[in-house]
Amino acid sequence: MRYDVVIVGAGPGGSTAALVASKLGLRVLLIDRFQFPRIKPCGGGLTPKTLALMRGLDIDPEPIIRNRCFKVALTNWAGTYLLSNHYGDEALIGVTSREEFDNYLLNEALKHGVDFVKDRVTGIEETPSGVRVKGLSNEYLGSYVIGADGANSVVSRNIGNDRAGEALALMTIAHGGQHADDICLIDMTRIKWGYAWSFPRGRGEYDVGLGSLKWGNYREELRRYVKELSMSEGVIYGHPIPIKPRGRVVSKNVFLVGDAGGFADPTTGEGIFYAMYTGAWAALTIKKSKLTNPTLVYRDLVQPLIRNLRLAYGLSTTVYGLDTLVMSRYLGLTAFSYEGTRRLISRVMSGKSWYVDALKSLVKPSLHVRLLSNKRWF
Ligand SMILES: Cc1cc2nc3c(=O)[nH]c(=O)nc-3n(C[C@H](O)[C@H](O)[C@H](O)COP(=O)(O)OP(=O)(O)OC[C@H]3O[C@@H](n4cnc5c(N)ncnc54)[C@H](O)[C@@H]3O)c2cc1C
């Protein structure tokens, strides 16, 4: 059978694309190398913008939110700073279990008529009329392919991308901790060029992990952190997080979404929102394919996002390098002591603006204050 769209990978990017495409009346095949539920190393942190996007797509997030952190306690060498949501009542981080979250999204897609196959995709071949997807067990034909197969994407490599630009994150599910359930911890003193986290996810469980822009063997550091939180660790899992959008996010009949396209925030490590967002856009543009060339439309649509994530990469090196390793450590100064910075974080997490606009709003008032308070200007 020939499908309108074959989607490789049933994480948040793939399942969202499948759900939206199917709701728009397209024949959809979703392929994943695992049967669900399956384990996915993740902090399970859902930002307010992720929950807003889910509601906008008619996906009720309530069944998969295990716990809500209304405050985030961020520690660096200069002190501990409390972050909260300045832009609504939503908790700054809703905590989920990725096994449950991904299984829920996949089932939403299946309910809307998506076909699912368990197979490991080994390559794709673009033909004059569409794309042939090669799996270990079978071959699948589609007019279009969405590559949603994560950071190690086969589809991405097949359209000419290399794997440059990835951070490394490790996590475990720990038990026995004592920090309050409505506070998520972020500690920037545990690891260079990144942070450690502890997200309470209810039922006495904590998602504890650490991630860094620079690769290293961080298992021992994670064990130490878990121990200092008076918790006992579970199995430790590791996985890359892309830190830059890939050079090519489309080819003739192929779209990359989520981690496969390098759509993740290198400053925070947030990727679920970007996977769902790009997945939904890819499905929408395919639906519009009869009017115009969908891959060009998709490329234009994700351009602002690509600019935003490139800026976030620059910001991440400033935050983890200049602010954490130099200013907060040796001078006791940090941007996080400034209310405007904390608001900026809340603004971006809430989806009120991309980094570029949020930064402008931060610079403008502070420039204003400087100009007004500087007598030489009058
Ligand atoms: C430790 C860690 C913590 C994180 N914490 C957070 C967080 O708290 N909040 C947040 O928003 N983001 C977080 N992220 C990032 C987030 O997990 C990813 O950005 C997100 O999962 C990307 O979704 P995706 O659908 O693009 O890819 P994935 O979720 O990786 O899904 C890809 C799917 O493709 C399948 N697949 C892969 N290769 C093949 C193949 N060859 N054939 C068939 N199927 C294939 C896989 O089995 C998988 O199901 C974290 C990442 C890590 C590593």
Side-chain angles (χ1 to χ4, degrees):
M1 175 171 171
R2 188 192 167 95
Y3 288 89
D4 293 322
V5 52
V6 176
I7 302 172
V8 185
S15 285
T16 304
L19 175 65
V20 173
S22 187
K23 276 187 174 180
L24 291 171
L26 300 173
R27 275 168 305 160
V28 184
L29 175 68
L30 186 53
I31 309 173
D32 202 286
R33 62 192 172 124
F34 294 119
Q35 211 55 264
F36 280 50
R38 54 94 176 93
I39 288 166
K40 163 73 181 90
C42 187
L46 303 173
T47 53
K49 68 173 178 282
T50 313
L51 301 182
L53 177 65
M54 289 178 78
R55 292 191 185 103
L57 294 172
D58 259 344
I59 308 168
D60 179 11
E62 291 309 316
I64 43 73
I65 301 176
R66 280 189 168 209
N67 182 42
R68 290 179 156 86
C69 287
F70 287 91
K71 299 256 180 275
V72 174
L74 183 147
T75 301
N76 66 14
W77 299 101
T80 295
Y81 304 90
L82 277 187
L83 310 176
S84 55
N85 186 357
H86 295 261
Y87 297 94
D89 301 333
E90 196 77 74
L92 203 52
I93 300 181
V95 189
T96 190
S97 141
R98 278 298 295 274
E99 289 88 314
E100 292 165 15
F101 182 81
D102 289 19
N103 195 39
Y104 177 72
L105 278 186
L106 172 62
N107 279 310
E108 286 295 300
L110 298 183
K111 269 196 261 168
H112 285 85
V114 170
D115 288 345
F116 177 81
V117 173
K118 175 183 168 293
D119 198 354
R120 187 188 189 114
V121 170
T122 52
I124 58 162
E125 190 185 307
E126 296 199 57
T127 64
S129 61
V131 190
R132 178 176 291 118
V133 177
K134 298 171 190 165
L136 284 181
S137 315
N138 222 327
E139 286 197 350
Y140 313 92
L141 293 177
S143 302
Y144 295 99
V145 162
I146 296 180
D149 47 342
N152 301 322
S153 171
V154 169
V155 180
S156 170
R157 278 204 298 280
N158 266 240
I159 65 165
N161 291 311
D162 57 27
R163 286 194 45 191
E166 286 171 349
L168 175 67
L170 266 59
M171 56 75 61
T172 186
I173 299 303
H175 292 86
Q178 287 163 1
H179 70 82
D181 257 11
D182 61 347
I183 297 190
C184 283
L185 307 183
I186 287 189
D187 189 338
M188 299 168 83
T189 67
R190 308 296 316 200
I191 187 168
K192 282 186 180 166
W193 299 99
Y195 66 84
W197 72 83
S198 173
F199 293 174
R201 62 174 208 173
R203 303 173 208 171
E205 295 176 357
Y206 296 80
D207 188 312
V208 184
L210 39 83
S212 170
L213 294 171
K214 309 255 188 276
W215 283 57
N217 187 355
Y218 301 127
R219 279 176 178 265
E220 273 320 304
E221 186 49 46
L222 180 55
R223 288 202 176 100
R224 262 197 297 279
Y225 184 51
V226 171
K227 208 166 165 193
E228 282 172 33
L229 291 170
S230 307
M231 298 179 190
S232 54
E233 77 200 33
V235 181
I236 296 180
Y237 298 98
H239 200 73
I241 306 181
I243 52 175
K244 278 181 196 162
R246 308 284 180 213
R248 295 186 77 190
V249 295
V250 288
S251 80
K252 193 166 148 264
N253 295 312
V254 180
F255 302 71
L256 297 181
V257 307
D259 281 8
F263 296 111
D265 182 335
T267 313
T268 59
E270 177 180 14
I272 298 170
F273 169 81
Y274 299 101
M276 297 182 74
Y277 182 82
T278 50
W281 273 125
L284 268 165
T285 46
I286 288 172
K287 176 65 186 172
K288 298 283 175 201
S289 64
K290 293 199 175 63
L291 301 177
T292 176
N293 182 338
T295 49
L296 292 182
V297 175
Y298 180 69
R299 207 182 51 194
D300 287 350
L301 276 169
V302 296
Q303 262 321 308
L305 181 59
I306 290 177
R307 276 197 295 277
N308 174 62
L309 293 176
R310 291 210 170 117
L311 178 75
Y313 178 69
L315 196 65
S316 67
T317 54
T318 312
V319 169
Y320 298 117
L322 184 67
D323 193 282
T324 311
L325 290 178
V326 182
M327 280 169 47
S328 87
R329 183 148 201 186
Y330 296 109
L331 306 173
L333 298 171
T334 172
F336 296 104
S337 64
Y338 177 45
E339 163 87 12
T341 309
R342 299 197 295 272
R343 276 184 179 273
L344 178 146
I345 296 168
S346 157
R347 198 175 164 85
V348 172
M349 287 176 80
S350 302
K352 296 295 168 200
S353 55
W354 296 134
Y355 280 110
V356 61
D357 308 307
L359 278 172
K360 272 188 214 152
S361 71
L362 183 71
V363 171
K364 266 190 209 149
S366 63
L367 256 182
H368 242 67
V369 173
R370 239 187 41 217
L371 293 179
L372 288 174
S373 59
N374 190 335
K375 287 195 178 68
R376 278 177 303 170
W377 289 93
F378 299 98

